[in-house]
Amino acid sequence: MPLLDVTGLHVRYGAVDAVRGIDLKVEEGELVALLGANGVGKSSTLNAIIGLVPVAGGAVRFRDEDVSRVPTELLVRRGLTLTPEGRRIFAGLTVEENLSLGAYGRRDAKAVSSSYERMYGLFPVLTERRQQLAGTLSGGEQQMLAIARSLMSEPQLLLLDEPSLGLAPQIVETIFDLIGALRADGITILLVEQNVAMSLDLVDRGYVMTGGAITASGSADELKSSNLVEQAYLGGH
Amino acid sequence: MSAVTIELFLQQTVNAVSLGGTYALLALGLAIVFSIMGMINFAHGELMTISGYTLFYCGLAGVPFIVSVPLAILVAMLAAMAMERIAFRPVRNSSPATMLVTSFAVAIILQTLFQNLISTRSQPVLLPDILAESIAIGDFLIGVNKLLAIGATIVMLLFLNWFLKRTAVGVAMRAAAEDFPVARLMGVRANAVISGAFALSGLLAGVAAVLWVSQRASVDPLMGFVPVLKAFIASILGGLGSLTGAVAGGFLLGFIEIYLTAFLPEALQEFKEPIGLGIVVLVLLWRPNGLIPAAGVGTEKV
């Protein structure tokens, strides 16, 4: 039984069909990429899974339960969370307050404090800045904070939306190394990315989206050796 | 400056801090709701009026002032939460214009109810005698009610600062004010945080009402209208949706009004309102987003 099982998912914005009946699975422990050009429905897919936009058709099953009608604020308690595109850290709150919000629904103070320790261990730069306003961090630091904030909920599945967006190349490398480290830690991740080459070097499997539909899928090696991805990019728009 | 004018100046400064503090509390209530929901609650003044009538009826029933004050504040909080649940939740995701009109409707419905069920006339509120007394410090006299108003404002500002920075719910409210969808991602429940924001705004309106009534000893159906209009001006002056801005704007407006009343030449007294608003416009021309603009102005709500 897959951890996440999306079948026939539709997302609509008014008359626009952003996602047209896609199927997607993530097994426990996997790192799976959802690739595609800008505006093909990748973020809409993640937002529908997490409940930020309504599911117009199809089903989202998480740990064998239908969650397509469960409100966003309850999903994090079930172990599903999203690091949104563009980081969206709370700029007017301190680093530590941002992290505390990641653990908002958790009541076990001991477990939460060990999560803090883990995050400050994973991201030493955040330790130095814990009392600083998050808005004063650099782009790369903000991305680390956004990921750390998500991890504070101890998710079973992390949805990562475009973590490399707008970052300098060497910072992108740091972020990808970090995603690899998280996978090694046993965290299941569904990664949405435009950076195809770097993603395919890291993930187990990938799906390629074009115009709201999945047009190719396979293991990272299969996708790398075929020209399916290039076709998707060139043929898409 | 002669000694007399320095005393007069100090006296008027106390008055300005007292009035400005009340405006600041009201503006804060408006700002808390606006920052989270993107709605200006024009029925905020009716929360004050409800508190005022609670004091009035408590006086009639012989309830001691020390009991009726917390009761009046509690009633304002409950009324604010009820207002949100009944009137504003159904229009939560509507356009700002719809929410604004809804809040006007709530205000007018409540005013009509007060006029028809209680009285169109102003009702006297029994106050403890001590409130009318003054304390002499050297040569100048400060009204006890003024001192209490300043004290209450300071306590409320300290409490709010503590609540928003040191409690999990307070931090969640600040997060929701900045980016509501992401706050929900963190597990912050929209209904709880909005209801909490209204409870806080009711608390502030209730305290402001007690201070307002303490200066005037009466309550009428339109009691809340003028102070909340002033608080609205104050919150624009400070930067709409910004909490520090609301406090700054409230105090600034209090100073402008009191100093104009006290120091404007006799011949210009009848123009003090337009002159005061003229100063507000000048400040806004200089800083179009207000004195201390909110960080997340224009971000997505709920």
Side-chain angles (χ1 to χ4, degrees), chain B residues 8-297:
Chain B
L8 180 65
F9 180 77
L10 287 176
Q11 197 113 46
Q12 296 302 343
T13 303
V14 169
N15 291 343
V17 173
S18 159
L19 181 68
T22 308
Y23 287 163
L25 295 184
L26 287 170
L28 262 176
L30 289 177
I32 286 170
V33 167
F34 181 83
S35 67
I36 286 181
M37 251 188 113
M39 181 188 81
I40 296 157
N41 181 14
F42 271 101
H44 197 62
E46 280 52 55
L47 297 173
M48 276 182 85
T49 315
I50 288 172
S51 267
Y53 280 120
T54 309
L55 289 176
F56 163 64
Y57 282 115
C58 282
L60 283 188
V63 176
F65 200 64
I66 197 129
V67 179
S68 61
V69 164
L71 201 63
I73 294 169
L74 182 70
V75 169
M77 290 175 77
L78 295 176
M81 290 164 84
M83 219 180 240
E84 188 274 320
R85 184 70 196 82
I86 296 163
F88 301 136
R89 195 170 294 185
V91 295
R92 188 183 288 169
N93 297 311
S94 316
S95 69
T98 306
M99 293 196 278
L100 191 69
V101 170
T102 306
S103 81
F104 267 121
V106 171
I108 289 165
I109 289 168
L110 288 173
Q111 287 169 10
T112 312
L113 285 176
F114 300 144
Q115 285 165 345
N116 288 295
L117 299 179
I118 302 171
S119 169
T120 52
R121 304 233 307 263
S122 164
Q123 306 292 321
V125 176
L126 283 175
L127 297 175
D129 295 336
I130 176 119
L131 285 180
E133 285 168 17
S134 297
I135 293 172
I137 298 177
D139 276 340
F140 88 111
L141 292 171
I142 310 176
V144 171
N145 54 2
K146 298 276 190 304
L147 277 182
L148 285 177
I150 293 170
T153 304
I154 293 170
V155 169
M156 286 310 295
L157 294 181
L158 289 175
F159 164 76
L160 211 63
N161 189 56
W162 169 82
F163 180 83
L164 291 173
K165 292 207 163 136
R166 296 276 169 261
T167 69
V169 181
V171 173
M173 279 186 176
R174 283 161 59 215
E178 232 183 85
D179 191 332
F180 212 119
V182 176
R184 290 182 59 211
L185 267 179
M186 306 290 116
V188 175
R189 290 170 208 247
N191 284 345
V193 99
I194 290 176
S195 192
F198 271 88
L200 268 189
S201 84
L203 170 71
L204 291 160
V207 173
V210 171
L211 302 182
W212 195 259
V213 170
S214 303
Q215 318 282 331
R216 286 162 191 76
S218 71
V219 52
D220 63 85
L222 301 178
M223 178 185 106
F225 180 73
V226 169
V228 166
L229 191 64
K230 296 287 172 62
F232 176 59
I233 294 169
S235 59
I236 304 262
L237 192 59
L240 196 54
S242 147
L243 303 193
T244 354
V247 175
F251 278 109
L252 181 59
L253 191 65
F255 274 87
I256 291 173
E257 285 193 356
I258 295 286
Y259 282 168
L260 285 179
T261 310
F263 303 119
L264 212 56
E266 193 67 40
L268 288 175
Q269 275 300 332
E270 54 182 320
F271 300 112
K272 68 172 188 222
E273 293 274 330
I275 292 173
L277 288 174
I279 296 173
V280 169
V281 170
L282 285 179
V283 172
L284 289 175
L285 283 173
W286 167 55
R287 296 190 72 104
N289 291 324
L291 296 170
I292 305 166
V297 170

Side-chain angles (χ1 to χ4, degrees), chain A residues 33-36 42-43 46 83-88 139-144 146-147 159-179 189-200 202 233:
Chain A
L34 181 57
L35 306 167
K42 305 185 305 293
S43 287
L46 292 193
T83 308
E85 183 182 343
R87 314 187 269 276
R88 291 173 71 173
E141 289 164 354
Q142 290 190 7
Q143 186 61 61
M144 291 180 203
I147 294 173
L159 310 175
L160 255 180
D161 198 353
E162 303 266 15
S164 74
L165 196 71
L167 298 179
Q170 66 271 40
I171 310 289
V172 171
E173 220 153 295
T174 314
I175 296 288
F176 271 87
D177 287 347
L178 175 77
I179 296 168
I189 299 172
L190 175 57
L191 170 71
V192 155
E193 259 296 336
Q194 290 191 49
N195 191 331
V196 175
M198 284 187 80
S199 300
L200 287 181
L202 191 65
Y233 271 75

